[in-house]
């Protein structure tokens, strides 16, 4: 009789552990399910320092956007074939500041196109991806889409959820310079051929 009790206790424990492991595995699978890769709808190609071609990837229609005479920030995202840098371009067409960036990981790709700055906040915590430490993780925030995409202070060592991370040493300068009239240009192509002459002058002075 004692042996039978031992058997049933052992069977119960094994079943409970197996059920717990199954439940944990199911929960793990749900939480770690591979997200779908973001589908991009537009592609932006630099034509000159201040002129850009925007291609609708669905209709294949193209339009040209000329930012001559305007301040803008162009970001060549951190992806193969692009620069992983931002460039601040003054209204006279001069690239006067540049620095490293990171952008959206594959499942959170940053959008391409020309966008207005729609909100600026010196101190900000992401509502979609808040930091567990309670510390602000989007300081010097310059939001450019209603979906929450923004330029902001962040590590340039790891990819983002779609925002553009700017190095802490560069972002205060860009934040103070930008206004709601400043355009944000996001491309997956290199902008360096148009910027290199101005950058040589900057780095020679430094």
């Amino acid at each position: 009789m004692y042996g039978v009790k031992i058997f049933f206790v052992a069977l119960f424990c094994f079943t409970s552990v197996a059920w717990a492991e199954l439940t944990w595995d199911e929960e793990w699978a749900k939480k770690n399910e591979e997200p779908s890769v973001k589908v991009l709808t537009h592609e932006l190609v630099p034509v000159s320092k201040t002129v850009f071609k925007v291609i609708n990837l669905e209709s294949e229609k193209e339009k040209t956007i000329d930012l001559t005479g305007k301040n803008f920030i162009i970001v060549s995202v951190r992806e193969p074939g692009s620069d992983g840098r931002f460039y601040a371009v003054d209204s006279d067409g001069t690239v006067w500041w540049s620095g490293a960036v990171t952008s959206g990981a594959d499942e959170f790709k940053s959008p391409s196109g020309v966008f207005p700055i729609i909100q600026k906040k010196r101190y900000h915590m992401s509502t979609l991806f808040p930091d567990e430490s309670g510390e602000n993780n989007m300081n010097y925030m310059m939001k450019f889409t209603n979906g929450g995409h923004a330029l902001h202070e962040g590590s340039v060592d790891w990819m983002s959820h779609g925002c553009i991370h700017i190095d802490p040493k560069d972002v205060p300068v860009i934040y103070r310079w930008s206004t709601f009239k400043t355009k944000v240009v996001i491309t997956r192509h290199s902008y360096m051929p148009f910027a290199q002459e101005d950058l040589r002058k900057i780095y020679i002075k430094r």
Side-chain angles (χ1 to χ4, degrees), residues 114-132:
V114 179
F115 308 92
I117 293 177
I118 57 178
Q119 185 183 17
K120 292 182 68 176
K121 283 183 71 177
R122 171 62 182 83
Y123 302 101
H124 185 65
M125 168 75 82
S126 171
T127 53
L128 291 176
F129 304 100
D131 197 293
E132 293 180 359

Side-chain angles (χ1 to χ4, degrees), residues 122-126 131 133-139 153:
R122 171 62 182 83
Y123 302 101
H124 185 65
M125 168 75 82
S126 171
D131 197 293
S133 69
E135 294 184 7
N136 291 328
N137 56 6
M138 290 180 66
N139 288 337
E153 179 183 81

Side-chain angles (χ1 to χ4, degrees), residues 131-162:
D131 197 293
E132 293 180 359
S133 69
E135 294 184 7
N136 291 328
N137 56 6
M138 290 180 66
N139 288 337
Y140 295 102
M141 186 268 286
M142 294 160 274
K143 187 163 72 172
F144 59 88
T145 76
N146 289 324
H149 296 96
L151 311 173
H152 64 82
E153 179 183 81
S155 171
V156 293
D157 295 324
W158 49 272
M159 303 299 275
S160 74
H161 291 103

Side-chain angles (χ1 to χ4, degrees), residues 44 52 65 67 71-76 86-87 111-119 142-145 149-151 164 166 174 177-187:
L44 182 139
F52 305 91
I65 296 180
L67 296 180
N71 294 340
F72 61 93
I73 303 162
I74 177 162
V75 175
S76 178
F86 79 88
Y87 307 86
S112 296
V114 179
F115 308 92
I117 293 177
I118 57 178
Q119 185 183 17
M142 294 160 274
K143 187 163 72 172
F144 59 88
T145 76
H149 296 96
L151 311 173
I164 305 300
I166 298 179
I174 300 306
W177 172 73
S178 66
T179 71
F180 291 109
K181 293 182 178 180
T182 306
K183 299 298 183 183
V184 176
V185 182
I186 311 290
T187 183

Side-chain angles (χ1 to χ4, degrees), residues 23-80:
T23 304
W24 185 86
D25 286 342
E26 288 175 348
E27 289 300 313
W28 185 90
K30 287 178 183 177
K31 291 179 180 177
N32 293 275
E33 183 179 356
E34 286 295 326
S36 58
V37 175
K38 182 176 177 62
V39 177
L40 298 171
T41 58
H42 291 79
E43 181 179 12
L44 182 139
V45 183
V47 176
S48 69
K49 191 187 278 189
T50 59
V51 177
F52 305 91
K53 180 170 62 176
V54 179
I55 306 167
N56 185 312
L57 297 177
E58 297 174 354
S59 66
E60 297 185 354
K61 290 183 178 179
E62 300 181 4
K63 67 177 180 179
T64 299
I65 296 180
D66 189 346
L67 296 180
T68 302
K70 298 179 181 179
N71 294 340
F72 61 93
I73 303 162
I74 177 162
V75 175
S76 178
V77 295
R78 179 75 67 87
E79 292 179 15

Side-chain angles (χ1 to χ4, degrees), residues 7-24:
F7 171 78
F8 279 109
V9 169
L11 180 62
F12 173 78
C13 290
F14 175 80
T15 305
S16 299
V17 170
W19 180 84
E21 288 181 349
L22 178 62
T23 304
W24 185 86

Side-chain angles (χ1 to χ4, degrees), residues 94-95 195-206:
T94 301
V95 178
Q196 58 188 359
E197 184 177 345
D198 288 341
L199 293 181
R200 284 196 190 101
K201 297 174 184 177
I202 292 171
Y203 289 113
I204 289 172
K205 288 181 180 179
R206 289 182 182 178

